[in-house]
Amino acid sequence: MTELLYQTDSYLRSFNATVSGIDEDNHAIILDRTAFYPGGGGQPCDTGTLTIDEAMYSVRKTRKAGTDVFHILDGDDPFPSPGTLVQGQIDWEHRYQLMRTHTAMHILCGVIFRNYGASVTGGDMDPLQGRMDFEFETMQKELVNEIEKAINQAAEQNLPVRVAILPRDEAFKIPDLIRTKINLLPEGIQQVRVVEIVGLDLQADGGTHVLNTS
Ligand SMILES: [Zn+2]
């Protein structure tokens, strides 16, 4: 099981960890803890490096496998053995762009839900650009301009972004979370991570975000 350091500190760029397993078929290293975001909820995974003694390994992809995070390596370098200490470094430019984009997308869906009552039906995220789908009866240029204005207002208001990890029962009592389909969470998940743009948006969410809307 990999401890997910990014869930409590999205600004963590480097970290120390211990190799807890190897998956040779997937060319992957499993660590006891990681700051690498393994992808999910629309946010692409992190890349970066792992340094072991003097050797630097390139992490070209990360992904979740059960409760482990796979750090998928480049090349045919020999694997370190379990128990080895590593230093991880994420590609911060890539990640920070995704944190900004991800948070901007929360502003978008928060504004649209607040002002028009429309929920998200789909989306896509890349560094510095994203797409979200909503169902509107009609969509005209005036409406788009109105939405854009409201989003820019929310950005300028410098609203704080807060993260909390709540017991499942408590999370289910928050009426706003129902629209994010929290009830689809598997039974086994007893804690729910909640991301809030104060006064605007509240989501059950495992991704990484910036600290405020500005
Ligand atoms: Zn999010």
Side-chain angles (χ1 to χ4, degrees), residues 41 43 102-103 106 125 193 195 201 203-209:
Q43 183 182 333
H102 192 151
T103 309
H106 279 239
M125 196 188 307
R193 185 170 178 270
V195 177
D201 185 61
Q203 311 262 348
D205 190 317
T208 61
H209 309 77

Side-chain angles (χ1 to χ4, degrees), residues 6 17-18 31 34 49 61 65-66 78 85 91 100 104-105 126 128 131 138-139 143-145 165 177 181 192 210 214:
Y6 60 84
T18 304
L31 302 175
T34 192
T49 57
K61 205 179 147 186
L85 298 176
D91 177 348
R100 291 170 60 199
M105 291 170 76
D126 286 304
L128 301 184
R131 191 197 87 233
T138 56
M139 175 55 79
L143 180 59
V144 176
N145 291 342
I165 295 173
L177 280 184
K181 300 194 172 61
V192 180
V210 290
S214 71

Side-chain angles (χ1 to χ4, degrees), residues 110-125:
V111 161
I112 288 189
F113 187 72
R114 181 193 64 194
N115 295 4
Y116 310 97
S119 297
V120 181
T121 56
D124 200 14
M125 196 188 307

Side-chain angles (χ1 to χ4, degrees), residues 119-172:
S119 297
V120 181
T121 56
D124 200 14
M125 196 188 307
D126 286 304
L128 301 184
Q129 63 175 30
R131 191 197 87 233
M132 293 190 108
D133 304 333
F134 303 92
E135 280 181 22
F136 277 87
E137 289 287 319
T138 56
M139 175 55 79
Q140 283 158 342
K141 193 164 187 290
E142 293 73 31
L143 180 59
V144 176
N145 291 342
E146 204 175 283
I147 292 168
E148 184 176 355
K149 205 171 153 201
I151 288 166
N152 286 333
Q153 266 169 7
E156 281 161 19
Q157 281 173 341
N158 193 23
L159 304 170
V161 178
R162 290 185 190 148
V163 177
I165 295 173
L166 305 176
R168 186 187 177 98
D169 294 350
E170 210 175 299
F172 269 78

Side-chain angles (χ1 to χ4, degrees), residues 4 6 15 20 22 25 52 56 60 67 93 96-97 105 115 125 132 137 143 146 151-152 154 157 174 181 183 191 196:
L4 309 175
Y6 60 84
F15 62 100
S20 57
I22 299 291
D25 292 343
I52 299 163
M56 191 185 272
R60 67 176 173 82
T67 58
E93 197 186 340
Y96 188 57
Q97 288 182 349
M105 291 170 76
N115 295 4
M125 196 188 307
M132 293 190 108
E137 289 287 319
L143 180 59
E146 204 175 283
I151 288 166
N152 286 333
Q157 281 173 341
I174 304 173
K181 300 194 172 61
N183 47 342
Q191 289 193 316
E196 179 183 22

